Amino acid sequence: MAKKEQDLQEVVEQAIAQQKVPHVKFKGINPRNIDIARLTKPSKETRQERWGKGLTALAIVLIGLLIVAIIGFVGMHGLATFFTDKVNIFQFLFSTDWNPGAGPKHVGAAAMIVTSFAVTLLAAMIATPFAIAVALFMTEYESGKRANLLQSVMELLVGIPSVVYGFLGLTVIVPAVRTIFGGTGFGILTATLILFVMVLPTITSLTVDAFKAVPKELRKSSAALGATRWQTIFHVVLRAARARIMTAIIFGMARAFGEALAVQMAIGNAVLMPYNLVSPAATLTSQLTSQMGNTVMGTLPNNALWSLALLLLIMSLVFNFLVHLIGKKS
Amino acid sequence: MTNIMEAENVKLSYGDFEALHGITLAFPAKKLTALIGPSGCGKSTFLRCLNRMNDDIDNIKISGKILLENKDIYRTHLDLVALRKKVGMVFQQPTPFPFSVFDNVAYGLRVAGVKDKDLIEQRVIESLKQAAIWEETKDSLQRNALAFSGGQQQRICIARALAVRPEVVLLDEPTSALDPISSSEIEETLMGLKKKYTFIMVTHNLQQASRVSDQVAFLMNGELIEAGSTEQMFLSPEKEITSNYLNGRFG
């Protein structure tokens, strides 16, 4: 370092001797005043920059490792069902015979897969029209205090713990369904009604963002062509926001698909193919939560639960992939 | 020369702030009137009064009269939807809807309840031709309008405004977001359309005003300083301030 500094000092001296450097007459600005030691070292800002980069990179590496570890662990145990215990993957996906304790011939998750999709799709189907209506009200009709109030209410709904939703469902919806439709009151319908309330805020707030992202100029142009407000909403706003609304629905579905506790409290937990909406059933998540304490690590029943977990993980990847695909297409 | 629109002592205020201090101006039919003036002088605000686009703003108060074919648009039973069919508008930024060119141009007709497919198709083609964008779109009517260039999008928007056969078309700086070539194409389009429609255009571009307009109105600080034929305004304006502005001494 010292050698380099000396060399540079020599270069400066030589340049002055050969009169290559103009002798500026300003105070303090003089080739001889150059602090070569300071110029050859990284500045404070450069060091901060490196520190910042280093810290963020470290955080990313750690989180990346964590994600890989989670996927690896779930994958390892989930796949053990098929590789170690020799369960047929088609049987796992399409058979309704779920009794892993009885051996590898009885590991069929079809009933849970169907139930999971049923509650997810039904909840999204009920929640979406309400979400769109509320979002339209908040963005197109009312944008002042009342919209803010609604926004707060929606945020509150997100913040309520799922066990509270489950408890409410158990106390209110289960008896109501029992009284109206008969049966035990536990089942897909009850779970769907709870999930509807739970995914509503998710879909609503993302749909609000979708409507807000539609340029004001489009609404004005539509009005300037003689369209009524409703025509503008229906033909222009909804159409322009279509992709984002789809994304909102998928996020809502991902939440419904992954919700465990509230569903477990309301669905009845019987691994049976649902033949109607009010018969007790079980989803992938509800089976996982209710059974994980009852199995021994490394045994087939335990590995089978890990397979359910792997399936949930894959589905969440699929949901994310769909969101990505829609984003790219629009 | 008949006047299709007339503004009489139009005042507009937002809350306590008066933005227009009584503007009286007539718009001759089948001519292009340019509204010019420094930024913030109220020319766009005034333009938006002419098809009641200001109505939605909170705390706004508009007084005076705006006559369209001798009927006050603020006080007759002419509703907004009907008014906007007669007075179309093209905005500064091209604002095509995110669907096909055909659906864009057909939009005004469809929201007006026109069901006749042949009529819609005929009007769409006619309007695209009038807006001088037919050659570029005739093979791709089903393509998304957003896939076209800025200048093409703006001409599609002009076609869209023309499709409902308005009496008057308001243009709010229609070329300021476009490159010079697209701008000159729009200008040519307007020159061709002047025989059929009445245009009222806000522009920042004085050369553009001198090229395309028949009448010029100079606004400043919410007041109409002077109005007259384009030739007279540019060659021998009555007021010194107008001459100063037109010669680029301020603004």
Side-chain angles (χ1 to χ4, degrees):
Chain A
M1 203 66 189
K3 171 101 176 42
K4 207 169 160 193
E5 269 175 44
Q6 246 171 16
D7 290 350
L8 277 169
Q9 193 65 52
E10 255 170 52
V11 172
V12 171
E13 294 295 340
Q14 268 177 16
I16 293 168
Q18 290 169 7
Q19 297 198 316
K20 276 187 183 161
V21 181
H23 286 259
V24 186
K25 289 281 188 279
F26 293 116
K27 218 167 83 184
I29 302 175
N30 185 318
R32 286 184 206 284
N33 289 352
I34 295 169
D35 186 351
I36 287 171
R38 229 195 80 206
L39 281 179
T40 49
K41 271 185 208 139
S43 68
K44 193 181 157 213
E45 287 76 10
T46 312
R47 282 202 308 277
Q48 279 179 341
E49 178 87 11
R50 280 189 201 150
W51 253 104
K53 263 190 191 167
L55 275 176
T56 47
L58 186 72
I60 287 171
V61 168
L62 281 176
I63 299 299
L65 279 176
L66 188 66
I67 293 168
V68 169
I70 290 173
I71 295 176
F73 193 86
V74 175
M76 194 176 76
H77 285 276
L79 292 175
T81 316
F82 307 110
F83 292 107
T84 316
D85 302 312
K86 306 285 181 219
V87 172
N88 186 328
I89 187 149
F90 292 103
Q91 191 204 336
F92 175 76
L93 290 176
F94 300 113
S95 160
T96 55
D97 179 7
W98 179 262
N99 189 6
K105 289 259 181 277
H106 304 277
V107 184
M112 288 171 281
I113 296 173
V114 168
T115 310
S116 272
F117 276 103
V119 291
T120 302
L121 290 173
L122 286 173
M125 265 164 59
I126 305 175
T128 302
F130 283 97
I132 289 177
V134 173
L136 280 178
F137 180 81
M138 284 166 74
T139 54
E140 308 296 319
Y141 290 102
E142 198 71 52
S143 49
K145 272 185 191 159
R146 269 181 275 186
N148 286 339
L149 184 75
L150 261 175
Q151 181 89 38
S152 311
V153 171
M154 284 294 154
E155 278 158 17
L156 186 77
L157 284 180
V158 179
I160 297 175
S162 57
V163 65
V164 176
Y165 280 113
F167 200 22
L168 274 169
L170 195 63
T171 319
V172 180
I173 303 177
V174 170
V177 170
R178 182 164 49 216
T179 315
I180 299 168
F181 298 101
T184 57
F186 293 97
I188 290 179
L189 180 65
T190 314
T192 300
L193 291 176
I194 296 173
L195 283 176
F196 150 66
V197 185
M198 293 179 78
V199 300
L200 184 66
T202 308
I203 304 183
T204 307
S205 62
L206 287 170
T207 307
V208 166
D209 293 345
F211 290 147
K212 280 187 179 160
V214 176
K216 275 205 179 82
E217 286 72 27
L218 288 189
R219 295 183 177 87
K220 281 193 199 160
S221 300
S222 176
L225 285 163
T228 61
R229 191 181 259 193
W230 173 246
Q231 285 172 324
T232 302
I233 290 171
F234 194 77
H235 296 294
V236 176
V237 178
L238 279 177
R239 204 150 162 188
R242 203 161 47 180
R244 276 163 163 267
I245 295 173
M246 277 305 292
T247 308
I249 296 170
I250 291 171
F251 271 116
M253 280 169 59
R255 173 146 202 236
F257 201 82
E259 177 50 45
L261 209 51
V263 173
Q264 192 226 334
M265 291 165 83
I267 198 146
N269 300 306
V271 189
L272 299 167
M273 194 53 129
Y275 53 90
N276 64 33
L277 294 183
V278 289
S279 66
T283 62
L284 294 166
T285 51
S286 74
Q287 185 62 14
L288 206 53
T289 37
S290 60
Q291 292 306 313
M292 62 184 160
N294 304 336
T295 59
V296 181
M297 198 75 176
T299 60
L300 174 60
N302 186 266
N303 285 344
L305 288 185
W306 280 110
S307 300
L308 301 185
L310 180 63
L311 200 57
L312 287 167
L313 195 98
I314 291 170
M315 272 316 295
S316 92
L317 288 179
V318 169
F319 283 128
N320 272 309
F321 178 72
L322 282 177
V323 166
H324 203 76
L325 205 71
I326 292 169
K328 243 185 178 174
K329 230 181 134 191
S330 62
Chain B
M1 194 167 17
T2 51
N3 292 327
I4 187 154
M5 264 192 126
E6 275 169 76
E8 275 173 36
N9 197 24
V10 172
K11 289 183 182 173
L12 179 145
S13 48
Y14 306 104
D16 294 334
F17 172 73
E18 194 173 84
L20 299 176
H21 313 298
I23 291 182
T24 302
L25 183 61
F27 301 99
K30 313 264 192 272
K31 299 278 176 204
L32 196 152
T33 301
L35 302 175
I36 59 169
S39 295
C41 69
K43 54 193 188 302
S44 285
T45 306
F46 177 61
L47 187 79
R48 284 197 295 270
C49 289
L50 301 177
N51 70 340
R52 300 187 58 177
M53 285 299 269
N54 287 329
D55 284 17
D56 284 344
I57 301 167
D58 292 337
N59 277 328
I60 201 157
K61 238 185 87 193
I62 302 167
S63 67
K65 280 185 191 169
I66 293 177
L67 306 177
L68 173 68
E69 294 168 325
N70 294 320
K71 279 179 221 138
D72 191 340
I73 62 171
Y74 280 89
R75 270 161 212 90
T76 53
H77 295 297
L78 186 70
D79 64 277
L80 276 184
V81 171
L83 168 68
R84 286 170 184 166
K85 251 164 241 154
K86 289 181 174 236
V87 184
M89 190 165 194
V90 175
F91 296 82
Q92 184 173 359
Q93 295 282 343
T95 54
F97 300 131
F99 35 80
S100 73
V101 175
F102 188 94
D103 289 347
N104 260 280
V105 181
Y107 186 82
L109 294 169
R110 286 183 181 152
V111 297
V114 177
K115 292 271 188 288
D116 183 350
K117 284 201 173 134
D118 294 336
L119 175 71
I120 291 179
E121 195 179 332
Q122 178 210 330
R123 279 284 186 87
V124 168
I125 294 171
E126 221 172 273
S127 307
L128 286 167
K129 279 181 179 160
Q130 286 184 345
I133 183 76
W134 173 244
E135 286 304 316
E136 286 135 282
T137 55
K138 66 180 176 189
D139 299 321
S140 42
L141 287 176
Q142 293 310 319
R143 224 167 117 207
N144 194 315
L146 290 167
F148 289 85
S149 76
Q152 290 171 330
Q153 288 185 10
Q154 192 65 304
R155 276 179 287 155
I156 291 170
C157 291
I158 293 175
R160 186 174 68 184
L162 298 180
V164 290
R165 295 287 173 269
E167 308 279 338
V168 181
V169 180
L170 308 176
L171 305 158
D172 192 358
E173 299 187 39
T175 64
S176 67
L178 302 178
D179 61 275
I181 294 168
S182 304
S183 301
S184 72
E185 282 167 355
I186 301 276
E187 281 182 27
E188 268 175 47
T189 307
L190 293 177
M191 295 296 280
L193 284 170
K194 276 200 304 191
K195 294 169 206 97
K196 289 202 170 106
Y197 299 94
T198 307
F199 288 101
I200 303 170
M201 174 168 78
V202 164
T203 181
H204 265 119
N205 184 334
L206 296 178
Q207 281 83 19
Q208 183 175 64
S210 74
R211 282 191 299 263
V212 301
S213 70
D214 305 293
Q215 176 184 255
V216 172
F218 174 50
L219 279 79
M220 217 176 101
N221 298 334
E223 261 170 290
L224 179 72
I225 305 294
E226 196 176 342
S229 78
T230 304
E231 208 174 68
Q232 181 241 316
M233 285 287 281
F234 275 89
L235 294 179
S236 53
E238 275 168 22
K239 296 199 174 132
E240 203 187 333
I241 193 165
T242 314
S243 150
N244 283 343
Y245 180 74
L246 292 175
N247 289 309
R249 292 209 187 95
F250 74 95

